[in-house]
Amino acid sequence: MVAPVPTDIHGETHATTEAAGHGEAASGGLPQFDTTVWAGQIVYLLVLFFVLYLLIGKVFAPRIRRVMGERETSISSAIATARQVQAEAAEQAAAAKAEVEKARADSRAASAAAKARITDETARRSAEEEASVNARISEAEAAIAKTRDAAMVNVSSIGADTVRAIVERLTGVAPTQAEADAAVAAVATTARTAGAA
């Protein structure tokens, strides 16, 4: 009769694991530490190193250098453009400042000319008005003097008539016209002397 085969799953796994463990021990361990395959691994390492070296040296590095050169060129051109724009802006600012100063000077000159013209016009009008007023004052003074003289003539005659009427009433005797005129002239002279003092 045949011996029974263990049907335990764990038993089979244990047996397989033990068999695999015996196989590793038999092969010498991990393949990286197996000195019999180091020559092939070194050859693969050198081939990969030279392939990567060629790719980096001939493909990637030139591209990086070209990109860096383009970047440096674009940066330097941007800086040069910015400096040129800054210089143009400074020139435009100087021109604008000069224009503003010229406009200020022109406005000051125009203001001074307008002020002088207005002052001259005002002085001319003032002189004309003063001359007109002086002429009117002279005319008024002449008219007043004429009216005063006419009034004084009338006042003298009225005074003389009044003196004759008062004296006649008081004394009953009427003085002559010459006596009345002399009395009025004496009173007028006294009044003028008192007014002058």
Side-chain angles (χ1 to χ4, degrees), residues 90-176:
E91 289 175 5
Q92 290 176 356
K97 186 176 181 182
E99 288 178 5
V100 167
E101 291 298 325
K102 184 177 179 295
R104 283 183 182 166
D106 292 345
S107 67
R108 286 187 192 121
S111 175
K115 186 177 180 181
R117 187 178 71 245
I118 289 170
T119 303
D120 293 343
E121 183 70 20
T122 304
R124 185 184 60 79
R125 286 184 183 176
S126 177
E128 288 176 359
E129 289 176 4
E130 188 175 347
S132 174
V133 167
N134 287 337
R136 287 182 186 173
I137 288 172
S138 298
E139 290 173 6
E141 286 177 350
I144 289 170
K146 187 186 282 185
T147 305
R148 184 187 67 224
D149 292 341
M152 291 310 273
V153 170
N154 290 334
V155 167
S156 297
S157 65
I158 291 170
D161 291 340
T162 305
V163 166
R164 285 180 70 204
I166 291 172
V167 170
E168 186 181 350
R169 199 165 270 235
L170 291 174
T171 61
V173 178
T176 64

Side-chain angles (χ1 to χ4, degrees), residues 1-187:
M1 190 159 201
V2 179
V5 176
T7 57
D8 184 14
I9 297 172
H10 296 294
E12 289 177 7
T13 303
H14 180 64
T16 308
T17 305
E18 283 183 4
H22 291 300
E24 282 181 11
S27 66
L30 294 174
Q32 293 90 348
F33 297 119
D34 188 6
T35 56
T36 58
V37 294
W38 276 8
Q41 289 178 352
I42 289 173
V43 168
Y44 281 120
L45 178 67
L46 290 175
V47 168
L48 287 175
F49 177 78
F50 283 118
V51 168
L52 286 175
Y53 181 78
L54 289 175
L55 283 174
I56 289 172
K58 301 294 183 185
V59 178
F60 299 131
R63 286 183 184 175
I64 291 172
R65 275 192 226 104
R66 187 177 67 246
V67 168
M68 294 296 282
E70 289 174 358
R71 182 176 176 211
E72 185 176 341
T73 304
S74 65
I75 288 172
S76 62
S77 66
I79 289 172
T81 305
R83 286 183 180 154
Q84 182 181 1
V85 168
Q86 185 179 11
E88 290 174 1
E91 289 175 5
Q92 290 176 356
K97 186 176 181 182
E99 288 178 5
V100 167
E101 291 298 325
K102 184 177 179 295
R104 283 183 182 166
D106 292 345
S107 67
R108 286 187 192 121
S111 175
K115 186 177 180 181
R117 187 178 71 245
I118 289 170
T119 303
D120 293 343
E121 183 70 20
T122 304
R124 185 184 60 79
R125 286 184 183 176
S126 177
E128 288 176 359
E129 289 176 4
E130 188 175 347
S132 174
V133 167
N134 287 337
R136 287 182 186 173
I137 288 172
S138 298
E139 290 173 6
E141 286 177 350
I144 289 170
K146 187 186 282 185
T147 305
R148 184 187 67 224
D149 292 341
M152 291 310 273
V153 170
N154 290 334
V155 167
S156 297
S157 65
I158 291 170
D161 291 340
T162 305
V163 166
R164 285 180 70 204
I166 291 172
V167 170
E168 186 181 350
R169 199 165 270 235
L170 291 174
T171 61
V173 178
T176 64
Q177 184 68 35
E179 290 174 344
D181 287 340
V184 169
V187 171

